[in-house]
Amino acid sequence: MAANAQFCYDSVNNSCLKHVYLPTIRIPLYLIAVTVILLTVCGNLFVIISIAHFKQLHTPTNFLVLSLAVVDLLLGGFLMPTATVRCLESCWYYGDLFCKIQESLDVMLCTATILHLSFISIDRYYAVCEPLKYKTKINICVAFYMISVSWSISAVTGFGMIFLELNIMGMEDVYYDTFYCIGSCKLIQTEASSIISSTLSFYIPGFIMIGIYSKIFLVARRQARTIQGLVSQSKTSEDSRKTTSSKTERKAAKTLGIVMGVFLCCWMPFFLCNTLNATFNYSVPSVLFNSLLWLGYLNSTFNPLVYAFFYSWFRKALGMIVFGQIFQTDSSRTKLITD
C-alpha cells in the first residue's frame, strides 16, 4: 500500500520510519475521515442541544444520554482529527506530551462510554423491571452522581495509566529499546496490562450490560402480553395512561439496548486485538490495528443515527434546530413527546 518509505525526521537520530501512501489512497481516506468527523461532531451536538434546550427532555435517562453525547463529541472533535493525521501520515509531529494526552483521552473516553452505558442499563432496568421503585431509586440527583462517577473514574484511569506508565510497567527497557522512536504515538501495553485494562474497562461491564438488557427484554415481553390483555378488557383513561407509559419505557429500553449493541460490535474487535497483540509479541500489523481502532471510533458516529432512527422526539428537535425555531419564545417548552 505504501509507495515508498522514509524517516519522519531526516536529521534526528532514532526517528521513526514514515510510510508515504499514494495520493489515490490518501486523498479518499482523508475525505472519508473528514466526513466521519463532521457527522460525529454535528450529530452529537444536535443531541446535546436537543436535550439541553427542551425542558420535556430533562429526565434522568436523557441527562445520561446527554453526557454520553458529550463523550462522543469530544472523541469526534479531538481524537479523530489527530488520529487521522497519525494514521495517514504514519508520523506524530506534536511531541511526546501531546501524545500522552492523546493516549490518555483515548483510554478515558472509551472507559467513559462504557460506564455511561452501564449506568443507562441500570436506569432502564428500574424503569422497566421495577417501575414502582423507579422514581425513588433514579432521579436527577442520582443521574448527576452517575455522570460524575463515570467522568472521574475514566479520567483517573486514562491519565493515570498513561502518565504513570502503568501500561509498560515491567518492560520499560524493552519499550524504549524496541518500540520507542521519535515520530511515533502508539499505545503499547504489556500482556498483563492489556488483559487487566480490557477486562475491567470492557469485558466485565459488557457482560453485565448484556445480562441486564436480557432481563429487561424478558420482562418487557411479559409486560407486552399483559398490556395486550388489559387493553382488550378495559379502555379507561387510567389504563390507557399506564399502557402508554409502559410502552414508552420499553421502547426506550429497546433503543438504548441497540445503542449498547452497536457499542459492543464496534469496540469488541479492537479489544480482542489489543488483548491478543501483546500475547503474540505485537505481531498485529499497524494497518489492521488502526482500522479496528477506527471501527471503535465509529461508535460515536452511529449513536446519534440510532437516536434519529428510533426517537421521534429527536427528529422533531432536529427539525426545530435546523430551521432556527429554538430561538422563538418559549420554544424550550415545546412538547416533543405526545404519545
Side-chain angles (χ1 to χ4, degrees):
M1 184 178 292
N4 53 67
Q6 53 185 283
F7 290 102
C8 296
Y9 298 94
D10 293 331
S11 58
V12 176
N13 291 330
N14 196 30
S15 174
C16 301
L17 282 173
K18 178 179 181 179
H19 300 281
V20 181
Y21 295 95
L22 295 171
T24 53
I25 296 174
R26 188 169 68 251
I27 294 176
L29 289 178
Y30 264 117
L31 293 175
I32 293 172
V34 170
T35 302
V36 170
I37 291 170
L38 290 176
L39 285 174
T40 305
V41 171
C42 293
N44 286 287
L45 192 59
F46 283 135
V47 174
I48 294 169
I49 294 173
S50 299
I51 296 176
H53 180 74
F54 296 103
K55 296 184 182 299
Q56 191 184 23
L57 302 181
H58 291 181
T59 65
T61 305
N62 284 339
F63 280 129
L64 287 168
V65 171
L66 184 149
S67 186
L68 177 61
V70 173
V71 174
D72 292 336
L73 177 67
L74 291 175
L75 194 148
F78 290 94
L79 287 185
M80 284 186 179
T82 52
T84 300
V85 176
R86 183 191 64 205
C87 294
L88 296 183
E89 299 299 330
S90 73
C91 289
W92 182 263
Y93 297 109
Y94 311 112
D96 288 341
L97 177 61
F98 194 33
C99 175
K100 287 187 175 182
I101 294 174
Q102 163 90 4
E103 292 175 342
S104 299
L105 286 174
D106 215 333
V107 176
M108 170 187 165
L109 295 179
C110 178
T111 304
T113 297
I114 197 164
L115 287 178
H116 277 83
L117 289 171
S118 299
F119 283 126
I120 288 173
S121 68
I122 295 172
D123 169 269
R124 290 298 87 199
Y125 173 81
Y126 278 105
V128 176
C129 302
E130 303 284 348
L132 298 179
K133 299 180 181 179
Y134 179 72
K135 289 186 177 181
T136 58
K137 294 289 186 179
I138 308 294
N139 52 46
I140 299 297
C141 291
V142 172
F144 279 113
Y145 175 76
M146 292 176 174
I147 292 170
S148 300
V149 169
S150 299
W151 281 99
S152 57
I153 290 179
S154 301
V156 170
T157 301
F159 285 86
M161 185 178 76
I162 301 301
F163 278 88
L164 296 178
E165 296 188 344
L166 300 179
N167 56 305
I168 57 172
M169 180 179 290
M171 60 167 284
E172 292 88 349
D173 294 337
V174 175
Y175 170 75
Y176 285 106
D177 291 340
T178 306
F179 299 103
Y180 178 78
C181 59
I182 299 175
S184 174
C185 184
K186 181 180 179 181
L187 179 61
I188 299 293
Q189 292 183 272
T190 63
E191 184 175 355
S193 173
S194 63
I195 292 175
I196 292 173
S197 62
S198 297
T199 300
L200 294 177
S201 297
F202 182 79
Y203 295 119
I204 291 178
F207 281 118
I208 290 175
M209 284 190 290
I210 290 174
I212 290 175
Y213 276 110
S214 298
K215 173 67 174 178
I216 289 173
F217 289 134
L218 289 175
V219 172
R221 185 165 60 179
R222 187 166 64 246
Q223 287 179 352
R225 292 172 181 171
T226 303
I227 289 170
Q228 188 175 8
L230 289 173
V231 170
S232 62
Q233 296 173 13
S234 176
K235 294 294 183 179
T236 66
S237 60
E238 181 65 18
D239 288 335
S240 299
R241 186 186 65 79
K242 291 181 179 179
T243 300
T244 300
S245 176
S246 182
K247 284 182 178 180
T248 301
E249 299 295 356
R250 288 186 288 109
K251 183 178 180 181
K254 178 180 178 181
T255 303
L256 293 169
I258 292 172
V259 171
M260 188 209 72
V262 171
F263 171 82
L264 292 176
C265 291
C266 287
W267 279 110
M268 186 175 289
F270 171 78
F271 276 100
L272 289 173
C273 177
N274 187 54
T275 304
L276 296 175
N277 191 28
T279 304
F280 291 98
N281 198 26
Y282 308 96
S283 57
V284 176
S286 296
V287 173
L288 176 60
F289 192 88
N290 289 330
S291 298
L292 294 180
L293 180 60
W294 267 93
L295 177 61
Y297 287 164
L298 284 176
N299 172 74
S300 298
T301 310
F302 293 148
N303 281 344
L305 299 180
V306 174
Y307 302 143
F309 187 79
F310 287 98
Y311 281 156
S312 60
W313 62 257
F314 180 70
R315 294 192 296 272
K316 294 176 183 177
L318 179 61
M320 293 186 66
I321 293 171
V322 171
F323 292 105
Q325 296 176 358
I326 61 171
F327 299 108
Q328 296 177 0
T329 305
D330 290 335
S331 64
S332 63
R333 300 184 182 278
T334 304
K335 292 193 67 175
L336 300 174
I337 303 174
T338 55
D339 53 357

